[in-house]
């Protein structure tokens, strides 16, 4: 065995990569993703523990764990591992582990968000892998952190987790190092961003936090180009599809196949970065990456092998495009990709006569291209930053050889040194006259750049990046096209040092022949040109230009080579000259010009071509060239210095130039202006003009449209070199300010100066700094005086109240704080602070409110406020202004924002002394105002400010603040105010529930404040005692302690540990403070009894052990206080009833609400028990109180546990337990409360009978007197009832209605009788008496006419500790629902307990089963035993009347099982009979009751025989009665019963007990008595069979005559057997006489005679009908003229008196039957209804298969109630006829009537004991037959065997109705005696 050894270099940290679930000693179970700390190891095993549970240690395989680098932190005995990885990676790991559990639950519950969470987890894991790979750049890492943080926040929101706030870098914000207001702001920002993302809006990217003018770059790499062509030029560019123009310069790739094969690095070097993309470019509607393919070769690529073809021709070949709009919109879409992802762009080839521009536009439509595999493979990335930055951040992408392509235009920011002088020429289109040729020309245009001498400039033309500059550019050639459209862009880049004057573009037009020989002879046939500079020196305008074409005559020589420059170059220039006529020059549709010039234009070889045209467009992108003549004149200021008028004009016109043009020449213009300002010594006029122009330029830069140029201006100021400018600038500015209220021409410039105040001061300060550096700070004092006077002038201007200065004053308030940073360089900070105090004090209170607050806010952000000595000057002023505005409720949000900035600025974790002084100032000036504002507004930002102030207040601050209240009442008001605010913040937090960081920070601050206030209250308000203040403290403290956000046990372990590590358990600390305050009350404690009981109870119920131990003794203190309270006499009260009552009331509410647990019950009992036991004074009462509360707690927690379950039955049981408890202790109000709960639950479950019984308990609390109802007895359902009688009367009506719905008409009749007695004998209210009697009559009628189902009863045993405590190892009797049989009931119980195991036998559960943690159910049917009613004795009673008492109002139930098989002889089978007594009769307030008493005894075989015979006789008697009373009843059931007795082919019948009739059987008197009873039953059966044969003969239809004849034959044989073999003399008696005897006992007064005595009222209705209505219905149904007597009677039963012995069963070996049961059998009422025959064969027996068969009784069809009601009167009339005279032919008088209701056939085996049957088959096989398990059983005769279906748990054990062994058959027969009636 390998020895264990400690791991080297300390413990190890690992992550589990496989599940480890192997069971064994010392093995540690692990799940994938968990982390472990490893202490020891062997070769294959580790020893350690799970980081989630350090107490569980064990061993696990090495291969199941992946080791990670980590650092270990030892905190006491706790060792914490911190992985060595970036914080964001650690956070991702923690988040994924936490999400994983919820993700699994989503899968189980099929949550819609399952896939979304799965994708988010996968994304986080991918990003984590990239972050930890160390293969990404800093910029990529930053973007990934931002994306991961956003994804985590979104996932937390979806899953309901807490919101996490972060800094700009994506790191979690540390609350200890951040102010409350900053944490609040970050919460608001994060919540808003998540809200937008959840609503599907565009995600807010990180770029929104960056400065304006951020630059983006598109990186493109061309991986391959697949096309069937040799050499091409690939032009790559960005295209704006909306404006239909290109954005950047072209990037040209020379795709040379020879280079492709020779240079292996060629493909990897095709990289380009399109730079200078700004916000406007990125938000375009549609942007495409476009590829133009230009073929270089012969005219037709099919002739490439023809050597005679002209080579080097540029021909259009095709295009491709890719939509990159989304990539540009989302700046972080693919910045985190470590590997480039190739994308395929299909290639579209140009048509034969198609222009390149048209082909490009086709690719933009988005239609599918049939590319046939031809296309380009590229990869793209959007990179943020300037060129230098992206080279540093993405060196693997932007390599030194990567081409940089600039935009055709300026970027957002033109940096210093970024000098451009580019002119972009777009060769658009032309039109060329064919002339004498038969075909159009193949025109090629060559562009040149020439100087004024006609010389061609070298390498100034650039068709695109990626190629060197050239001297000429040749366009594409379109074959035989007279109107070619090129749309080709070419850049001309001319050095700024070159002479622009005379530069022009020259275009030569040449026809290109396919044949090389011909092409060599071709020369340019025309020429066009355009000058780059206009005559006034400005640049060619950015527009389209129609150029004039000049034909070239080579016969004439151009000696000067530039003589054409004197000719007009454009159509516009021609029209402007004097050489034109009066019309428009240009080609027409006919090819001729509409008007020719007056004289021909020519010069040397050049002459104007009137039929040809050529069009180009130009765009100048230059920092040196301009289109504006005034701007150009100002830039050339040296030339204008001598011309004062011209200079003045340029300065005035400058202020009319567009801002976009100004910013392009910003630096040059500023230089010009300052040089003019300093060199002008002639007149002050130019000084003001220069100042106005300077202010105008600064104003443009300060405008929001050009904010991106502010860094340029800042950079210029740093390089500013004019040392003496400050004097003139300050003088002019002060002059403007002093004349602000005057109407002067400089008013617009003055306002602009106030708007540009910041930069004017920058120029002033910079100029002064330079002067001081050069002159050794000379003139410092004078400068400071001037500066001070200037600032004071600005302050003085604020005093003006005229409208003229409003805008200037607003600008001053806005811009003055911005000057501080520069002024501080040359001015004293404290003195400047005083100047600003004076400046703001001059602002009128009623003017510029918002501007003043904004100015204070900006002032807080300045460097001035960070200086301690300056804050001493500024802070009181700021707080005073803000306080005054808040008290007037002016600009509240702005004031709160100022306070937020102040508190955020002053927050320092270390809290230096000078900050304490500032906090003291804030506290004294504005704390009370902030508190009152928070109470009024309840705004989150205001709460954050208040919390920030309280957080930074130390204990000394609290003491000083409280000590400054002059009067105790003022202090009391303050404490009441702030505690009320605290309680509101706790109970209704202004923060979102998922802002856990903010809420916990708030709680920690409130806890600290309440501690300080507690000492103040105790010290200052104990004597005299201020109850309200103390009460507010207790309520506030307890509300704090019981808030949901502090209940740590409800949180995940990660969240709980985080809170404890940072804030500890604040509940415990507050609880100790409450205990201390309670002890400090002294004699004043009685003031809080019993009001504080509920709140303190709520506190003690919190599941924190130490808190409970500290606070539960307070209850004992309360008990003692009340006990010793002075009573009404001189003695003490002597009890604590108020505490007891309040405790019970509050305990019920709190525990039901979810508070409390088993530990609390134990702690409560132990602590109070010990305290009471130690007190001689209240020991007895105290211990009783503790026991009572303990019992109440246990029952309430049972109820709470069950109420969360969906099982209503369990909730009802718990409610009944509570009802009993509250009834026992006399808590009537709680008793009534739970009665209503139980009643409502019954109604929700349609348990109307039980609901009625529940209301009866409520009604029993009332009397029939007119006493006033107490508050406790009042009912919300009947608020109008004010007295006992009124409420009880209303309750009775409600109860009667529920009884009627539950078909418990007998119970309703009882209540009707009670109410009728009240109306008749007490109230004498005959109207109501009439109504209630009609209602009562209706109920009687329902009993006799309405059909109601007979419920079955079931015994359920709950064995095992897995059930709720109130069910464990207990037995209950359940009342089944309507038509619910054993199979359905079994299914219902197994649905309620899906984990329960169904016991197969009825044997007593073992102790092992009872003590196991599992659930075992033992279910079987039981038979109710009717309690005999004296009023029925010795009377014939209708079966409908007796049936109710047979199955209702019963408390005794019985079932039996076989205990001795006795071989094949049924006569030797013994049964074990069990009698069960329930706690209450059924039905009652529940559908079930527990069994309280059980008696088990044995039943002998002869007793079973007697029972079987008796049951058979009852059934036969009932069937005969049914036939006599129901004329339309079918005789099928009677026939089957008769056949089952006289021809018992299967069950054996009476032959089974043949030896009981033998003379030698009876050995003693008891056996003789049994034999006598058996013979008596046999004789009775003989008589009943005769009677039944007679009835069957009379009623059977013709089709059944053969069957009846067969029955008569069998009957004769059966009678002979009885006389011969059983020695029983069969008396010859007329069957008809027996039948008539049944009618003699009926009333001689028929309903017809009753109707004649009481004539009916036609218009009067009655509830449930009336006798008169019944009579009339019967008469209508009877045949006219019928003389047959009628009678209305249901089947009746003769009930004998009970004269038997009442002794209990014998104990021990009982071989004889109990006398009581024997005698009672003779006196019991017959239950021979065809629908009510329960039997013991439904019970679980010893054999498991038996139970499976027994729990599947056949379910009869539901009765057609509506049909029954429609035909009830017709049947009633027929009953009268039949009862008077039976038809002799056996047919019904109403054969043509509607079909009768279905008869509920009995299928129980209890009736089969007395039937003759053949010998039982000796079959012992349990194999299932082919009978389907769920097949519907058919109705069979009584001698057939029931079809039983096995439970779902044993599907393989399916039994058949035709296949069973003898033993099982004997079991069934042996159980039959235990039932008194038979039901389905």
């Amino acid at each position: 065995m390998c020895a264990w050894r400690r791991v080297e270099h300390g413990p190890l940290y690992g992550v589990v990569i496989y599940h480890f679930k192997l069971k064994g000693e010392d093995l540690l179970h692990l799940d994938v993703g968990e982390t472990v700390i490893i202490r020891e190891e062997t070769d294959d095993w580790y020893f350690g523990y799970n980081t989630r549970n350090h107490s569980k240690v064990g061993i696990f395989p090495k291969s199941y764990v992946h080791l990670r680098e980590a650092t270990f932190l030892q905190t006491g005995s706790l060792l914490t591992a911190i992985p060595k990885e970036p914080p964001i990676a650690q956070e991702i790991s923690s988040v994924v582990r936490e999400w994983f559990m919820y993700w699994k639950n989503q899968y189980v519950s099929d949550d819609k968000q399952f896939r979304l969470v799965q994708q988010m987890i996968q994304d986080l894991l991918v990003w984590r892998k990239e972050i930890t790979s160390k293969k990404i750049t800093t910029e990529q890492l930053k973007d990934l952190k931002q994306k991961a943080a956003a994804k985590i926040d979104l996932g937390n929101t979806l899953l309901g987790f807490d919101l996490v706030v972060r800094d700009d870098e994506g790191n979690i914000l540390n609350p200890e190092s951040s102010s409350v207001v900053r944490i609040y702001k970050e919460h608001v920002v994060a919540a808003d961003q998540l809200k937008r993302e959840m609503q599907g809006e565009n995600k807010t990217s990180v770029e929104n936090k960056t400065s304006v003018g951020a630059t983006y770059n598109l990186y493109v790499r061309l991986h391959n180009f697949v096309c069937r062509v040799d050499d091409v030029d690939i032009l790559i560019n960005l295209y704006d599809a909306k404006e239909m123009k290109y954005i950047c310069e072209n990037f040209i790739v020379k795709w040379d196949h020879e280079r492709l094969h020779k240079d292996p690095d060629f493909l990897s070097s095709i990289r380009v970065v399109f730079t200078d993309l700004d916000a406007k470019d990125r938000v375009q509607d549609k942007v495409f990456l476009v590829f133009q393919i230009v073929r270089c070769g012969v005219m037709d690529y099919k002739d490439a092998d023809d050597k005679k073809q002209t080579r080097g021709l540029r021909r259009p070949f095709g295009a491709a495009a890719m939509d990159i709009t989304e990539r540009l919109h989302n700046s972080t879409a693919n910045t985190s990709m470590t590997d480039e992802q190739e994308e395929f762009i299909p290639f579209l080839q140009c048509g034969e006569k198609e222009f390149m521009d048209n082909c490009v536009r086709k690719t933009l439509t988005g239609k599918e291209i049939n590319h046939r595999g031809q296309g380009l493979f590229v990869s793209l990335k959007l990179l943020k930053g300037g060129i230098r930055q992206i080279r540093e951040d993405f060196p693997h992408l932007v390599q030194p050889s990567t081409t940089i392509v600039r935009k055709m235009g300026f970027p957002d920011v033109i940096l210093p040194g970024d000098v451009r002088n580019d002119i972009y020429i777009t060769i658009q289109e032309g039109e060329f006259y064919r002339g004498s040729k038969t075909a159009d020309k193949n025109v090629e245009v060559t562009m040149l750049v020439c100087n004024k001498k006609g010389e061609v400039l070298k390498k100034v033309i650039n068709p695109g990046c990626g190629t060197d500059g050239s001297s000429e550019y040749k366009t594409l050639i379109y074959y035989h096209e007279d109107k070619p459209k090129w749309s080709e862009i070419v850049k001309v880049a001319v050095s700024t040092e070159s002479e622009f004057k005379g530069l022009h573009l020259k275009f030569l037009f040449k026809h290109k022949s396919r044949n090389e020989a011909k092409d060599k002879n071709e020369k340019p046939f025309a020429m066009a040109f355009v000058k780059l500079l206009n005559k006034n020196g400005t640049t060619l305008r950015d527009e389209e230009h129609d150029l004039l074409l000049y034909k070239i005559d080579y016969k004439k020589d151009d000696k000067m080579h530039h003589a054409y420059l004197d000719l007009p170059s454009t159509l516009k220039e021609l029209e402007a000259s004097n050489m034109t006529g009066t019309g428009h020059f240009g080609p027409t549709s006919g090819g001729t010009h509409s008007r020719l010039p007056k004289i021909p234009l020519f010069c040397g070889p050049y002459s104007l071509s009137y039929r040809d045209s050529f069009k180009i467009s130009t765009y100048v992108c230059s920092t040196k060239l301009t289109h504006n003549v005034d701007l150009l004149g100002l830039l050339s200021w040296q030339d204008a210095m001598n011309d004062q008028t011209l200079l003045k004009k340029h300065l005035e016109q400058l202020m009319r130039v567009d801002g976009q043009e100004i910013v392009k020449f910003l630096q040059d213009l500023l230089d010009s202006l300052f040089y003019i300002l300093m060199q002008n010594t002639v007149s002050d006029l130019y000084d003001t003009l220069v100042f106005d122009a300077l202010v105008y330029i600064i104003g443009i830069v300060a405008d929001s449209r050009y904010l991106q140029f502010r860094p340029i201006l800042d950079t210029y100021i740093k390089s500013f070199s004019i040392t003496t400018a400050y004097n003139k600038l300050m003088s002019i500015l002060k002059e403007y300010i002093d004349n602000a209220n005057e109407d002067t021409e400089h008013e617009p410039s003055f306002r602009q100066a106030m708007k540009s105040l910041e930069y004017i001061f920058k120029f002033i300060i910079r100029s002064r700094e330079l002067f001081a550096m050069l002159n050794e700070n000379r003139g410092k004092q004078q400068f400071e005086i001037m500066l001070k006077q200037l600032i004071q002038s600005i302050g003085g201007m604020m005093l003006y109240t005229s409208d003229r200065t409003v805008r200037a004053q607003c600008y001053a308030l806005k811009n003055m704080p911005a000057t501080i940073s520069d002024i501080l360089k040359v001015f004293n900070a404290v003195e400047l602070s005083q100047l600003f105090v004076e400046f703001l004090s001059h602002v009128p209170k009623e003017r510029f409110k918002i501007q003043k607050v904004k100015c204070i806010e900006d002032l807080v952000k300045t460097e001035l406020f960070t200086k301690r000595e300056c804050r001493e000057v500024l802070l009181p002023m700021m707080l005073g202004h803000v306080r005054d505005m808040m008290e007037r409720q002016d600009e509240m949000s702005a004031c709160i924002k100022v306070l937020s900035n102040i508190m955020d600025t002053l927050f320092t974790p270390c809290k230096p002394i000078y900050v304490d002084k500032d906090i003291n100032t804030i506290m004294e000036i504005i704390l009370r105002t902030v508190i009152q504002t928070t109470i009024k507004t309840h705004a989150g930002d205001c709460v954050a400010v208040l919390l920030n102030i309280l957080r930074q207040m130390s204990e000394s601050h609290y003491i000083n603040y409280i000590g400054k209240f002059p009067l105790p009442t003022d202090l009391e008001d303050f404490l009441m105010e702030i505690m009320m605010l605290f309680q509101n913040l706790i109970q209704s937090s202004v923060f979102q529930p998922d802002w856990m960081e903010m809420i916990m920070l708030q709680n920690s601050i409130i806890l600290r404040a309440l501690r300080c206030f507690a000492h103040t209250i105790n010290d200052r308000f104990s004597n005299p005692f201020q109850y309200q203040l103390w009460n507010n403290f207790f309520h506030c403290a307890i509300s704090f302690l019981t808030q949901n956000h502090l209940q740590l046990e409800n949180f995940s372990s990660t969240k709980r540990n985080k809170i404890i590590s940072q804030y500890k358990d604040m509940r415990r600390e507050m609880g100790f403070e409450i205990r201390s305050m309670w002890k400090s009350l002294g004699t004043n404690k009685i003031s809080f009894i019993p009001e504080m009981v509920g709140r303190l109870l709520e506190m003690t119920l919190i599941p924190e052990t130490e808190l409970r131990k500290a606070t539960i003794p307070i209850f004992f203190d309360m008990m003692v206080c009340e006990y010793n309270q002075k009573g009404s006499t001189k003695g003490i009260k002597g009890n604590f009833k108020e505490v007891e009552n309040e405790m019970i009331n509050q305990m019920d509410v709190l525990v039901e609400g979810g508070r409390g647990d088993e530990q609390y019950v134990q702690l409560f009992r132990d602590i109070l028990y010990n305290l009471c036991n130690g007190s001689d004074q209240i020991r007895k009462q105290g211990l009783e109180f503790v026991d009572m509360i303990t019992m109440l707690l246990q029952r309430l927690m049972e109820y709470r546990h069950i109420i969360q379950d969906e099982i209503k039955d369990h909730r009802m049981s718990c409610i009944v337990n509570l009802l009993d408890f509250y009834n026992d202790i006399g808590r009537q109000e709680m008793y009534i409360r739970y009665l209503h709960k139980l009643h409502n639950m019954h109604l929700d479950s349609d348990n109307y009978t039980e609901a009625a019984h529940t209301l009866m308990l409520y009604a029993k609390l009332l009397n029939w007197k007119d006493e006033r109802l107490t508050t406790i007895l009042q009912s919300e359902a009947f608020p109008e009832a004010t007295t006992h009688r009124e409420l009880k009367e209303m309750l009775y009506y409600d109860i009667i209605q529920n009884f009627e719905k539950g078909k418990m008409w007998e119970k309703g009749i009882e209540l009707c009788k009670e109410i009728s007695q009240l109306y008749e004998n007490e109230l004498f209210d005959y109207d109501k008496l009439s109504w209630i009697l009609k209602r009562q009559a209706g109920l009687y009628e329902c009993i006799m006419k309405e059909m109601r189902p007979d419920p079955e009863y079931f015994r359920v045993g709950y064995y095992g500790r897995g059930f709720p405590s109130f069910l464990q190892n207990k037995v209950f009797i359940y009342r089944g629902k309507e038509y619910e049989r054993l199979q359905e009931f079994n299914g219902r119980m197994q649905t309620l307990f899906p984990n329960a195991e169904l016991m197969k036998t009825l044997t007593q559960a073992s102790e092992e089963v009872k003590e196991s943690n599992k659930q075992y159910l033992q279910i079987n049917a039981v038979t109710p035993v009717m309690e005999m009613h004296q009023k029925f004795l010795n009377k014939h009673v209708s079966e409908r009347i007796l049936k109710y008492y047979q199955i209702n109002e019963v408390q005794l139930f019985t079932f039996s099982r076989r205990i001795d098989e006795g071989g094949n002889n049924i006569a030797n089978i013994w049964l074990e009979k069990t009698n069960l007594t329930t706690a209450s009769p059924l039905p009652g307030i529940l559908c079930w009751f527990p069994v309280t008493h059980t008696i088990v005894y044995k039943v002998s075989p002869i007793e079973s025989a007697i029972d079987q015979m008796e049951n058979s006789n009852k059934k036969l008697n009932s069937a005969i009665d049914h036939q006599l009373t129901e004329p339309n009843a079918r005789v099928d059931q009677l026939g089957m019963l008769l056949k089952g007795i006289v021809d018992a082919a299967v069950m054996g019948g009476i032959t089974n007990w043949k030896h009981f009739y033998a003379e030698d059987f009876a050995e003693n008197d008891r056996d003789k008595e049994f034999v006598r009873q058996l013979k008596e039953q046999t004789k009775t059966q003989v008589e009943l069979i005769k009677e039944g044969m007679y009835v069957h003969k009379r009623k059977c239809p013709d089709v059944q005559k053969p069957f009846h004849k067969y029955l008569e034959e069998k009957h004769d044989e059966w009678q002979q057997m009885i006389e011969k073999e059983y020695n029983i003399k069969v008396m010859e008696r007329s069957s008809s006489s027996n039948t008539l005897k049944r009618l003699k006992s009926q009333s001689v007064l028929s309903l017809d005679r009753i109707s004649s005595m009481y004539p009916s009222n036609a218009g009067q209705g009655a509830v449930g009908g009336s006798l008169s209505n019944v009579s009339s219905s019967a008469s209508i149904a009877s045949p006219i003229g019928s003389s047959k007597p009628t009678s209305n009677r249901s089947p009746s039963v003769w009930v004998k008196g009970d004269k038997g012995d009442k002794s209990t069963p014998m104990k021990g070996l009982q071989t004889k039957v109990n006398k009581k049961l024997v005698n009672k059998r003779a006196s019991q009422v017959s239950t021979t209804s065809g629908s009510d025959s329960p039997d013991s064969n439904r019970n679980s027996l010893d054999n498991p298969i038996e139970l499976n068969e027994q729990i599947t009784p056949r379910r009869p069809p539901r009765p057609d109630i509506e049909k029954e009601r429609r035909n009830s009167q017709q049947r009633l009339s027929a009953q009268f006829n039949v009862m008077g005279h039976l038809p002799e032919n056996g047919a019904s008088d109403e054969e043509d009537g509607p079909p009768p209701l279905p008869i509920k056939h009995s299928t129980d085996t209890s009736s089969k004991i007395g039937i003759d049957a053949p010998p039982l088959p000796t079959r012992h096989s349990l194999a299932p037959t082919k009978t389907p398990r769920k097949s519907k059983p058919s109705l069979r005769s009584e001698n057939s065997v029931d079809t039983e279906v096995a439970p779902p748990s044993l599907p393989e054990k399916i039994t058949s109705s035709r296949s069973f062994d003898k033993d099982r058959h004997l079991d069934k027969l042996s159980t039959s005696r235990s039932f008194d009636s038979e039901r389905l």
Side-chain angles (χ1 to χ4, degrees), residues 1117-1128:
D1117 204 9
M1118 287 183 163
M1119 294 159 58
V1120 174
C1121 287
E1122 185 184 356
Y1123 188 90
N1124 293 323
Q1125 182 184 5
K1126 292 183 180 181
S1128 57

Side-chain angles (χ1 to χ4, degrees), residues 235-262:
L235 282 68
I236 307 175
N237 206 333
L238 302 182
Y239 188 81
D240 183 353
K242 183 177 181 181
E243 298 294 333
M244 299 178 64
K245 66 178 183 179
Y246 290 95
I247 298 174
C248 300
E249 301 175 9
N250 288 321
F251 170 61
I252 301 178
V253 179
K254 296 289 185 181
W255 194 265
D256 188 347
H257 277 69
E258 291 185 6
R259 182 182 176 188
L260 194 62
H261 292 92
K262 293 180 180 179

Side-chain angles (χ1 to χ4, degrees), residues 1229-1261:
E1229 70 279 7
M1230 306 305 296
Y1231 178 74
I1232 294 174
R1233 176 187 173 195
Y1234 281 95
L1235 276 178
H1236 286 305
K1237 285 188 177 182
L1238 183 61
H1239 171 258
N1240 294 334
M1241 291 184 68
H1242 279 311
L1243 291 182
D1244 292 341
S1245 302
D1246 294 337
N1247 299 335
Y1248 299 110
T1249 301
E1250 289 73 17
H1253 280 287
T1254 304
L1255 277 186
M1256 279 297 298
L1257 297 179
Y1258 186 16
K1260 287 179 181 179
L1261 301 175

Side-chain angles (χ1 to χ4, degrees), residues 104-118:
K104 287 198 303 184
N105 294 336
Q106 286 181 332
Y107 175 78
V108 173
S109 61
D110 197 19
D111 196 301
K112 295 180 180 179
Q113 294 181 343
F114 169 77
R115 296 294 180 189
L116 177 59
V117 176
Q118 180 183 20

